[in-house]
Amino acid sequence: MASIDLNSDVGESFGRWTLGDDSAMFRSVSSANVACGFHAGDPSVIRATCRKAAAANVVIGAHVGYRDLAGFGRRFLDISPGELADDVVYQIGALQALAAAEGAQVRYVKPHGGLYNAIVHHTAQAQAVVDAVKSVDPGLPILGLPGSEVLRLAEAAGLRPVTEAFADRAYNPDGTLVSRTLPGAVLEDPAQVAEHVLRMATESSVRTVDGSVLKIHAESICVHGDSPGAVEMAIAVKDALAAAGVTISAFAGAAA
């Protein structure tokens, strides 16, 4: 693979509470999944994040999730498809306005946490997300797990589905992510993370928790901004890709 997109979840601070070092992450990634206020972020944090991303020429995407600040959006919510669609439209719209105030645009959508995992298999919620994105802008790609319902439905609806892999997460043999409740679900060693990503980018494969090798094609790879040592991981990944001759380039095109 000649190039790969690196994305990171950013803008996840809230009020006086700070999470991650977004400015440092922007030196290594090409796309920024900006929290839209439902699982994390507030208007001032969101706008400042858009400003920093634009200054770093990093493409902005809407990181939409369940309305669950207390749970950081990582808990499944059994809400109606109509309510979920409205929540997603609301979040995209909020980010569009704050990005526009900084002369930037929202170029894609990536569901977050519990919602991301749910719509791998939950058809009704996956359709709600697709319907929401299409109603706002059918030109917005949707980022998701390979083989997921949301990407299947996105393609059926005429939206661009973009497959994603995770630099710092362990994989089950079926291609799903190991639950964060289990030990070893989050990788913390920068060297291990870099090796993990290099295999994804150059061999389209990943080693799973049982030691088997799973073929996986990803257009974008996520380095979580809130993981321990996230900045060091991102630097290690960037350096490893450069050494292998793989360039880092946003899947949604240059920042605008």
Side-chain angles (χ1 to χ4, degrees):
M1 184 177 293
S3 67
I4 189 72
D5 175 62
L6 287 186
N7 75 75
S8 185
D9 302 343
V10 296
E12 294 181 324
S13 300
F14 188 85
R16 297 180 66 183
W17 181 72
T18 300
L19 180 66
D21 186 344
D22 295 346
S23 295
M25 292 299 290
F26 289 154
R27 293 195 285 271
S28 296
V29 303
S30 44
S31 298
N33 317 313
V34 181
C36 299
F38 273 28
H39 78 275
D42 60 51
S44 294
V45 166
I46 295 169
R47 182 168 182 174
T49 304
C50 290
R51 183 186 311 123
K52 294 173 185 176
N57 292 316
V58 173
V59 170
I60 294 170
H63 203 27
V64 300
Y66 291 131
R67 196 182 315 182
D68 181 27
L69 276 175
F72 199 64
R74 286 183 173 155
R75 302 179 290 194
F76 171 72
L77 293 187
D78 188 13
I79 62 176
S80 72
E83 183 181 356
L84 177 58
D86 290 343
D87 281 356
V88 171
V89 169
Y90 185 98
Q91 292 175 81
I92 297 171
L95 182 62
Q96 285 178 323
L98 289 162
E102 294 301 328
Q105 297 177 348
V106 176
R107 304 292 292 276
Y108 66 92
V109 175
K110 175 185 170 179
H112 164 79
L115 178 59
Y116 186 99
N117 291 326
I119 57 180
V120 171
H121 301 297
H122 198 301
T123 301
Q125 291 200 358
Q127 187 66 63
V129 171
V130 170
D131 291 345
V133 174
K134 187 172 184 179
S135 70
V136 173
D137 182 353
L140 292 173
I142 299 180
L143 213 56
L145 208 64
S148 61
E149 274 291 275
V150 70
L151 293 192
R152 180 184 70 81
L153 293 169
E155 185 171 23
L159 276 64
R160 178 185 172 189
V162 179
T163 52
E164 179 183 36
F166 289 83
D168 49 4
R169 292 295 304 277
Y171 278 76
N172 292 308
D174 66 355
T176 58
L177 302 177
V178 174
S179 170
R180 286 179 178 270
T181 62
L182 299 176
V186 179
L187 309 182
E188 298 182 356
D189 177 17
Q192 182 186 12
V193 169
E195 179 184 0
H196 197 51
V197 170
L198 203 56
R199 184 179 289 113
M200 293 173 181
T202 61
E203 301 175 15
S204 296
S205 66
V206 63
R207 190 168 298 281
T208 67
V209 288
D210 69 355
S212 60
V213 174
L214 176 72
K215 296 302 290 185
I216 182 172
H217 172 71
E219 294 182 65
S220 184
I221 298 175
C222 176
V223 183
H224 282 107
D226 67 324
S227 297
V231 173
E232 290 75 15
M233 288 183 200
I235 292 171
V237 166
K238 180 181 179 182
D239 290 347
L241 290 173
V246 180
T247 59
I248 297 171
S249 178
F251 70 85

